[in-house]
Amino acid sequence: PFGRGKRWGGDLHPVANVILGGWQLSALNSFRSGAPLSINVPGATLGNGWGTRAMLLGDPEISNPDRNRWFNTAAFGAPPLYAWGNSGIGLIDGPGSHVLDLGLVKNFRVAEQKSFQFRWEMFNALNHVNLSNPGTTLGTSSFGVILGAGGPRTMQLGLKFLF
């Protein structure tokens, strides 16, 4: 809304308009809750070649989950041989995510139907750490531990000629 022929700054000097006018800002903010996770027991505990869900032995929630311990791993155990586990499907929520993507665009008119467009785009602009899901296989070294995260802030610059 700023620059020659716009709501504000319509009477700008042409040189000032080249610098101040023609900018656009775009944003995309994404919030996601954590995925529902189920705890699995490896191996053929049912006698049919398939594993089963774990036995729920206590409260899986902890007060301050972090990447080294997302849930109470002591709350789960292996079921007896040839028995189904009693823990529910999607019993635990994984970590949520927050991503803000921003774009700043400047248009430079060269002729009536020709222009250059400069773009500066930032993905995960706030550089928020978005943790991956924890390990959910009982008895493994990664059980209850988060070993990864989403991408860091990424920026790209672009210039294109529109004709």
Side-chain angles (χ1 to χ4, degrees):
F2 192 82
R4 289 186 83 74
K6 306 291 184 193
R7 184 174 179 182
W8 294 294
D11 58 347
L12 278 177
H13 186 275
V15 174
N17 186 60
V18 168
I19 296 168
L20 300 174
W23 288 96
Q24 297 173 336
L25 177 67
S26 63
L28 178 65
N29 206 356
S30 172
F31 290 94
R32 286 184 235 157
S33 62
L37 305 173
S38 302
I39 306 302
N40 303 308
V41 177
T45 58
L46 295 175
N48 61 0
W50 297 92
T52 184
R53 291 193 306 272
M55 293 294 291
L56 185 60
L57 306 173
D59 184 8
E61 300 292 324
I62 58 176
S63 58
N64 294 315
D66 63 15
R67 60 185 307 250
N68 296 314
R69 190 167 181 238
W70 189 254
F71 56 85
N72 179 10
T73 56
F76 300 98
L81 194 58
Y82 308 118
W84 294 97
N86 67 352
S87 64
I89 295 174
L91 181 66
I92 298 168
D93 288 330
S97 69
H98 172 212
V99 178
L100 174 65
D101 298 333
L102 293 175
L104 187 61
V105 177
K106 169 72 169 138
N107 295 304
F108 298 95
R109 185 169 303 281
V110 177
E112 186 160 332
Q113 301 220 354
K114 295 179 178 136
S115 62
F116 283 98
Q117 184 179 72
F118 170 75
R119 302 179 70 86
W120 178 28
E121 297 166 326
M122 291 181 283
F123 306 98
N124 193 9
L126 300 177
N127 206 24
H128 188 267
V129 177
N130 294 300
L131 297 173
S132 300
N133 286 327
T136 57
T137 303
L138 185 71
T140 61
S141 61
S142 63
F143 184 54
V145 177
I146 297 175
L147 299 175
R153 177 188 308 121
T154 305
M155 292 188 266
Q156 66 184 19
L157 300 172
L159 181 66
K160 71 179 177 180
F161 180 60
L162 302 160
F163 57 94

